[in-house]
């Protein structure tokens, strides 16, 4: 029978035949292997023994909050990393200091000296509490034998520089720190810089389209149109190849998105689930029974 197919021995065919293996080789060179299963299980074991303390405890994202979480039995705390105007890494969830301190203004508009003058405890019954630097928080966690889940939302290059400095200072921090972010690029760059750092990719269905209450995140119409496309692309990219490329160890997932099928999918890839933010004892008991640790505002909930 006469073939109707064009011979592959054409310039285009030969070029494609050479290009595909080069792309595959290039991607393999950029792929970062996962940290050892033993290290991942050690961290997950800590988180399963007691819930992960969300923003430590009151006052949130402070040394007092970390100590209080430890006194309640927590062995892992989740805190938020941000940077001052002069580039110092500090713990704060919001863009401004308004909600948690006696001051006002954006954190990236203040120097460390300026923000250290503010009281981050008086609104929560602990007057005199100052904002901690990341270094102070990690040193305290090391003293208390705690792991720290570091939620990073911005300043990728500064974050990389700080992590590099921390790991060079104390190799024990590799077993103390998990870097978490909703941004795959940040997770990948941390892993590419130092494959020994354990990371977690934060996820929620339609995270960049809707707020937690279901309202639209964006005012401008074109952003409202593009956000669902970005969320869809992110889902396909994360599930398709990114997990292999970045070698992250944990999916830090909104608890409402977790099912047995979802857990099975990720466990087959040696990636553990961590659920956020669970404040129902019934829901927490169900997830822990599945072998999934939970992040919560009340670490005493499961006692």
């Amino acid at each position: 029978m006469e073939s109707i197919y064009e011979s592959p021995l054409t310039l285009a065919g030969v070029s494609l035949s050479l290009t595909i293996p080069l792309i595959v080789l290039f991607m393999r060179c950029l792929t970062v292997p996962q940290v050892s299963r033993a290290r991942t299980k050690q961290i997950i074991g800590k988180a399963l023994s007691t819930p992960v303390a969300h923003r430590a405890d009151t006052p949130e994202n402070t040394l007092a909050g970390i100590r209080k979480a430890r006194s309640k039995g927590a062995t892992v705390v989740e805190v938020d990393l941000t940077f001052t105007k002069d580039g110092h890494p500090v713990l704060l969830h919001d863009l401004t200091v308004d909600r948690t301190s006696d001051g006002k203004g954006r954190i990236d508009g203040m120097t460390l000296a300026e923000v250290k003058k503010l009281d981050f405890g008086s609104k929560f019954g602990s007057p005199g509490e100052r904002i901690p630097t990341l270094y102070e928080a990690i040193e305290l966690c090391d003293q208390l034998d705690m792991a720290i889940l570091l939620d990073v939302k911005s300043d990728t290059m500064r974050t990389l520089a700080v992590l590099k400095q921390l790991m060079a200072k104390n190799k024990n921090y590799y077993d103390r720190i998990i870097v978490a972010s909703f941004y795959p690029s940040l997770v990948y760059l941390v892993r590419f810089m130092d494959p020994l750092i354990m990371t977690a990719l934060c996820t929620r269905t339609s995270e960049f389209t809707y707020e937690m209450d279901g309202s639209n995140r964006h005012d401008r119409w074109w952003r409202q149109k593009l956000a669902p496309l970005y969320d869809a692309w992110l889902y396909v990219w994360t599930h398709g190849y990114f997990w292999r490329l970045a070698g992250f160890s944990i999916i830090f997932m909104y608890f409402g998105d977790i099912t047995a099928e979802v857990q099975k999918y990720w466990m087959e890839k040696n990636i553990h689930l961590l659920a956020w933010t669970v404040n129902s004892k019934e829901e927490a008991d169900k997830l822990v029974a599945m072998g999934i640790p939970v992040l919560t505002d009340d670490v005493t909930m499961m006692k």
Side-chain angles (χ1 to χ4, degrees):
M1 183 173 64
E2 184 180 357
S3 173
I4 62 172
Y5 295 105
E6 182 182 0
S7 169
L9 298 179
T10 62
L11 180 60
V14 171
S15 298
L16 186 61
S17 298
L18 292 175
T19 301
I20 291 175
L22 286 175
I23 292 174
V24 172
L25 180 62
F26 180 69
M27 293 301 288
R28 285 188 175 180
C29 290
L30 294 177
T31 299
V32 186
Q34 287 180 321
V35 301
S36 70
R37 293 190 178 192
R39 282 187 59 209
T40 306
K41 286 183 177 180
Q42 179 183 0
I43 292 291
I44 292 297
K46 277 180 174 286
L48 276 173
S49 61
T50 56
V52 179
H54 185 212
R55 303 179 196 169
D57 205 311
T58 54
E60 68 177 58
N61 281 306
T62 64
L63 299 184
I66 293 173
R67 292 190 186 96
K68 187 182 292 186
R70 188 69 182 97
S71 71
K72 293 179 178 179
T75 54
V76 184
V77 290
E78 181 262 358
V79 296
D80 301 282
L81 175 65
T82 192
F83 290 85
T84 60
K85 181 181 179 179
D86 49 348
H88 290 275
V90 294
L91 305 191
L92 186 71
H93 178 270
D94 301 351
L95 293 175
T96 73
V97 300
D98 301 18
R99 180 177 62 86
T100 54
S101 81
D102 59 351
K104 290 186 179 297
R106 289 178 63 100
I107 186 68
D108 58 7
M110 302 179 181
T111 65
L112 180 63
E114 290 171 338
V115 78
K116 278 286 190 181
K117 294 177 182 178
L118 303 179
D119 187 339
F120 281 81
S122 59
K123 290 184 176 180
F124 306 95
S126 301
E129 192 66 23
R130 305 303 172 191
I131 193 171
T133 65
L134 176 62
Y135 308 113
E136 293 170 336
I138 290 176
E139 286 178 4
L140 177 60
C141 286
D142 197 35
Q143 294 168 11
L144 298 175
D145 192 24
M146 302 180 79
I148 186 167
L149 183 64
L150 194 61
D151 189 354
V152 185
K153 298 178 176 65
S154 61
D155 292 296
T156 299
M157 301 316 294
R158 282 177 170 175
T159 300
L160 294 176
V162 167
L163 288 172
K164 186 175 182 180
Q165 183 182 36
L166 280 168
M167 299 310 178
K169 177 183 178 182
N170 189 335
K171 301 298 183 186
N172 290 333
Y173 290 165
Y174 282 112
D175 294 323
R176 295 285 181 209
I177 301 172
I178 310 164
V179 180
S181 180
F182 276 98
Y183 298 103
S185 57
L186 191 148
V187 171
Y188 175 75
L189 289 172
V190 169
R191 298 280 296 125
F192 189 77
M193 177 193 74
D194 190 338
L196 294 179
I197 296 177
M198 191 178 301
T199 56
L201 180 66
C202 305
T203 68
R204 177 175 69 89
T205 300
S206 300
E207 169 63 25
F208 292 96
T209 303
Y210 300 108
E211 300 285 2
M212 291 296 295
D213 62 4
S215 61
N216 205 298
R217 276 188 180 275
H218 311 286
D219 295 328
R220 298 182 180 180
W221 69 268
W222 60 271
R223 288 184 175 177
Q224 292 179 13
K225 298 296 184 183
L226 287 178
L229 297 177
Y230 179 75
D231 275 322
W233 172 84
L234 195 61
Y235 179 89
V236 172
W237 173 233
T238 301
H239 288 70
Y241 190 79
F242 181 71
W243 65 270
R244 191 190 306 274
L245 181 70
F248 56 84
S249 303
I250 297 169
I251 282 281
F252 194 16
M253 184 176 290
Y254 174 59
F255 78 92
D257 292 340
I258 295 175
T259 64
E261 290 74 20
V262 168
Q263 181 187 27
K264 181 176 182 292
Y265 178 88
W266 289 112
M267 288 300 291
E268 287 174 347
K269 296 165 178 55
N270 192 35
I271 296 173
H272 292 265
L273 266 64
L274 172 60
W276 62 271
T277 300
V278 186
N279 290 320
S280 159
K281 186 178 187 307
E282 180 181 358
E283 190 68 38
D285 287 341
K286 182 179 74 174
L287 289 164
V288 170
M290 294 170 65
I292 301 173
V294 299
L295 176 79
T296 183
D297 294 316
D298 181 13
V299 296
T300 64
M301 172 178 59
M302 297 177 63
K303 288 187 176 181

